[in-house]
Amino acid sequence: DIQMTQSPSSLSASVGDRVTITCRASRSVSNSVNWYQQKPGKAPHLVIFSASSLHSGVPSRFSGSGFGTDFTLAISGLQPEDFATYYCQQSYTSPFTFGPGTKMDVK
Amino acid sequence: QVQLQQWGAGLKKPSETLSLTCAVYGGTFTNHYWGWIRQSPGRGLEWIGEVNDSGDTNYNPSLKSRVTILVKKSTNQLSLKVISLTDADTAVYYCARRWPLVKPSSCFDTWGQGTPVTVSA
């Protein structure tokens, strides 16, 4: 299985900040990485697909980059509704695997 | 817009069988894969398996021996069965649509609301 790791595991930020979350795959997954946002008690919600494509309805302050094994999710100009847990996921090969998550809270 | 609504019994005893159903509203089964993902504090998000509109399945090898996923196209539903439950199967179970993109990429673009399942004697 391809293992996905994320850093940091948690971070504190303020409204208006720019934050970045990194994700690393245990082997190359091309650009087959997606990012999800999850709020407590809710299902994950797709934010970025194929490493850098913004999902429909997601604000443009979200962006993704990366290829191969290293990927980044960036959020510029944090809004109150952005505080959540973020997960990366590889879709390169089955079994599809997720990172452990990065929990972002208010500083 | 496609919506997924899921249901099933959430309290089970060890060795019992879990059965969950997920209904697809506002869309068709074709050109997508439909599957199950679970989430627990200890194991995080774990992909269980999936089925397409032809009934072809793909399972996580770690669970394959205990899992069955079926599709019922006439009612736009899919089901999950997990046998021989243990405490380790305690989790929130989600149904989800996997949207194929440019091969090999895909993403889970639509999720059900989640069903909490507790396995306890």
Side-chain angles (χ1 to χ4, degrees), chain A residues 88-101:
Chain A
C88 62
Q89 175 248 329
Q90 67 83 16
S91 64
Y92 187 75
T93 187
S94 172
F96 308 113
T97 48
F98 293 82

Side-chain angles (χ1 to χ4, degrees), chain A residues 1-15:
Chain A
D1 299 2
I2 296 177
Q3 307 303 316
M4 306 297 286
T5 57
Q6 288 180 235
S7 61
S9 56
S10 64
L11 68 95
S12 296
S14 301
V15 172

Side-chain angles (χ1 to χ4, degrees), chain B residues 4-76:
Chain B
L4 306 181
Q5 185 168 355
Q6 53 182 106
W7 64 89
L11 184 59
K12 309 296 291 186
K13 290 181 167 52
S15 81
E16 290 186 339
T17 295
L18 172 67
S19 294
L20 299 177
T21 302
C22 175
V24 179
Y25 297 103
T28 66
F29 263 71
T30 55
N31 300 321
H32 293 87
Y33 294 85
W34 305 86
W36 295 90
I37 295 164
R38 68 183 184 181
Q39 184 174 31
S40 63
R43 303 170 76 94
L45 286 160
E46 182 178 28
W47 177 77
I48 299 170
E50 64 187 7
V51 64
N52 66 10
D53 58 312
S54 300
D56 301 321
T57 53
N58 183 22
Y59 296 119
N60 191 324
S62 67
L63 294 164
K64 184 175 183 177
S65 63
R66 299 193 296 124
V67 170
T68 302
I69 297 175
L70 298 174
V71 64
K72 191 171 183 180
K73 291 174 66 177
S74 61
T75 56
N76 267 15

Side-chain angles (χ1 to χ4, degrees), chain A residues 33-107:
Chain A
V33 164
N34 309 309
W35 290 93
Y36 301 86
Q37 176 194 73
Q38 186 179 34
K39 296 182 179 178
K42 300 294 187 182
H45 177 75
L46 179 66
V47 176
I48 297 283
F49 64 91
S50 297
S52 59
S53 296
L54 203 62
H55 184 50
S56 173
V58 175
S60 59
R61 61 180 179 272
F62 288 85
S63 63
S65 63
F67 189 89
T69 60
D70 295 309
F71 300 86
T72 300
L73 173 70
I75 312 170
S76 58
L78 272 174
Q79 296 300 301
E81 61 268 27
D82 300 336
F83 292 94
T85 301
Y86 292 85
Y87 296 92
C88 62
Q89 175 248 329
Q90 67 83 16
S91 64
Y92 187 75
T93 187
S94 172
F96 308 113
T97 48
F98 293 82
T102 295
K103 185 176 182 180
M104 183 167 61
D105 60 18
V106 179
K107 186 184 293 182

